[in-house]
Amino acid sequence: MPQGPQPLPGVAHVVAVGSGKGGVGKTTIAVNLAISLGKLGYKVGLIDADIYGPNVPMMLGVTRQPNIVGENRIEPILSHGVKFISVGLISPGDKPMVMRGPMLHQIIRQFLQQVEWGELDFLIIDLPPGTGDVVISLVQTVPLTGAVVVSTGSSVALQDARKALEMFHQVKVEVIGMVENMSQMTLPDGTVLDVFGAGGTEATARQFGLEFLGSVDLDPAIRAGGDRGMPVTLAGPDSELRKPFYDIARKIAARAIELEEGVEDVLEIS
Ligand SMILES: Nc1ncnc2c1ncn2[C@@H]1O[C@H](COP(=O)(O)OP(=O)(O)OP(=O)(O)O)[C@@H](O)[C@H]1O
């Protein structure tokens, strides 16, 4: 058995989406990012590693168990052009996932190595909120292209987002950039409400010398799309609501490709 993280054959870029604080919309961003990348022509996979709130199956509208094929290989579920697998499919329904570190590590390894991902341009990983075990299991198993950190503009969310940044730094994962979710809300009469402190995430990104990837508004349509298993980005980039998701996806794709090329350059020189 080879030691250390090994690239997944056929998978070009692995991008983790983390947050620090729970409930800031990390899964919403990860799911809409995956769909947007798919609509932009990339082949996309999504691992829902959020053991505390595995909501990807609901947001992608499929909650059935995956098929086992060949010699104990797992066939990912295909929905809206995205191949996905979720801890929520292992423990469906309302039962919480209760498990110790080694079992969690085993599941993350399985999701990476035992799933028939085929050829992928991007494998997106929806991390649990906070800092910890899942990220360590990930970096021990595969080289990550980078991570995206989602936050609202509120000071409390940003306090936790900074911890996530520090964690990625400690495990030597490049942060591709930060996204502000639920940034502001436009009422039907055109009034703009600043609910969570719009602009806070951009300021934090600047402070850390990171790219700010963009802001997504707080909009009931985004919540409703996730609840119905029909995320808003399915309708393409042509609206003020959906365009930011596509702009963010394009920036992440460009940066991920650039980072991977950088690695190849270094290898060529040495
Ligand atoms: N921009 C938005 N506008 C409206 N609702 C949103 C937006 N982003 C997320 N939501 C809603 O907020 C709730 C929390 O979002 P989500 O589950 O994506 O957060 P999370 O950070 O992944 O949470 P956790 O990691 O704690 O599971 C969901 O009901 C989701 O539909």
Side-chain angles (χ1 to χ4, degrees), residues 22-28 50 129 181-182 217-219 222-223:
V24 297
K26 168 185 48 61
T27 304
T28 302
D50 188 347
N181 188 32
M182 311 196 200
D217 280 0
L218 177 63
D219 193 304
I222 297 177
R223 194 272 312 148

Side-chain angles (χ1 to χ4, degrees), residues 19 21-30 50 52-55 59 126-130 150 180-184 216-227 241 245:
S19 64
K21 196 160 191 63
V24 297
K26 168 185 48 61
T27 304
T28 302
I29 298 294
D50 188 347
Y52 307 114
N55 304 127
M59 289 195 196
D126 184 19
L127 294 173
V150 180
E180 182 160 285
N181 188 32
M182 311 196 200
S183 202
Q184 55 183 30
V216 170
D217 280 0
L218 177 63
D219 193 304
I222 297 177
R223 194 272 312 148
D227 280 358
L241 175 68
F245 286 109

Side-chain angles (χ1 to χ4, degrees), residues 10 38 49 65 78 84 105 118 152 173 194 205 208 213 220 244 255 265:
Q65 298 242 319
L78 180 65
F84 81 95
H105 183 70
T152 68
V173 171
D194 178 2
F208 281 77
L213 298 163
R255 184 73 185 123
D265 286 350

Side-chain angles (χ1 to χ4, degrees), residues 74 153 214:
I74 304 167

Side-chain angles (χ1 to χ4, degrees), residues 9 11 14 20 22 29-30 35 38 42 57 76 101 123 125 128 131 136 141 162 194 201-202 210 213 230 261:
V11 177
V14 182
I29 298 294
I35 291 177
Y42 295 108
L123 179 57
I125 316 227
T131 52
I136 293 171
T141 313
R162 283 193 288 273
D194 178 2
T201 312
E202 184 167 10
L210 296 169
L213 298 163
M230 297 290 286
E261 279 168 359

